[in-house]
Amino acid sequence: MNNDIKEVLYSKEDIKDIAQKIGSQLTKDYAGKNPLVICVLKGAFLFMADIVREIKTYAEIDFMDVSSYGDGTESTGEIKIIKDLDVPVEGRNILIIEDIIDTGRTLSCLVDLFQHRKVASVKICTLLNKPERRIKGIEPDYVGFKVPNEFVVGYGLDYKGFYRNLPYVGVLKPEVYENN
Ligand code: PRP
Ligand code: MN
Ligand code: MG
């Protein structure tokens, strides 16, 4: 285990199992709907790869790069679109893949944006949900795990750009971010 991690919450096996479960539900729910599955970079890159391989029906994929946190541990309240989609979304069934929903600000902005672009439907699939921190009324449609209000990293989730490559989700030791 990485020395900066206090505790492992979800192992790669836990995540593989939940991705299979969610994926088979998505296969049923999106059969015949030609969804556009959108990965919210950077955090969702690993979970996206797991989920799309479990969707056994026609699906298109695309990527958006949005950022809210900057370098700190708190969200800044507005999101920055660093890379937008490559395709128009009007009339499409959108499935957003996220690593975590915290305050809900990122997804609230994205859902508003897609509704403005006149999509047919928009649903949210997230590996982790942290409802205790919610500011915006965002409820995910597909959830891997509910996490406590602690600073979690790994499996795509970062602190200052690090720890995304950990193959599990763990709690960061408070001294790591308190001393920085
Ligand atoms: C993180 C995370 C979610 C968002 C959740 O992304 O990956 O996208 O914050 O927080 P919220 O619910 O309070 O909006 P971040 O902005 O850190 O960018 P990153 O994915 O590139 O790390
Ligand atoms: Mn993110
Ligand atoms: Mg981040």
Side-chain angles (χ1 to χ4, degrees), residues 80-139:
K80 213 167 43 177
I81 296 182
I82 299 154
K83 182 211 169 288
D84 206 335
L85 297 173
D86 289 338
V87 295
V89 291
E90 190 172 341
R92 296 297 304 267
N93 293 304
I94 304 296
L95 177 66
I96 304 175
I97 309 293
E98 261 290 22
D99 53 330
I100 188 167
I101 310 178
D102 189 8
T103 65
R105 283 177 174 131
T106 303
L107 276 168
S108 171
C109 290
L110 283 178
V111 168
D112 285 353
L113 178 71
F114 291 134
Q115 277 164 356
H116 180 76
R117 292 179 181 177
K118 300 187 172 61
V119 298
S121 69
V122 53
K123 289 194 175 184
I124 297 162
C125 172
T126 187
L127 174 62
L128 305 175
N129 190 22
K130 201 191 264 185
E132 274 178 65
R133 294 252 307 163
R134 203 74 96 246
I135 290 169
K136 298 284 185 176
I138 285 287
E139 281 304 325

Side-chain angles (χ1 to χ4, degrees), residues 41-43 66-69 75 98-106 158 164:
L41 294 169
K42 305 186 176 68
V66 307
S67 192
S68 69
Y69 275 34
S75 124
E98 261 290 22
D99 53 330
I100 188 167
I101 310 178
D102 189 8
T103 65
R105 283 177 174 131
T106 303
D158 74 305
R164 292 194 203 274

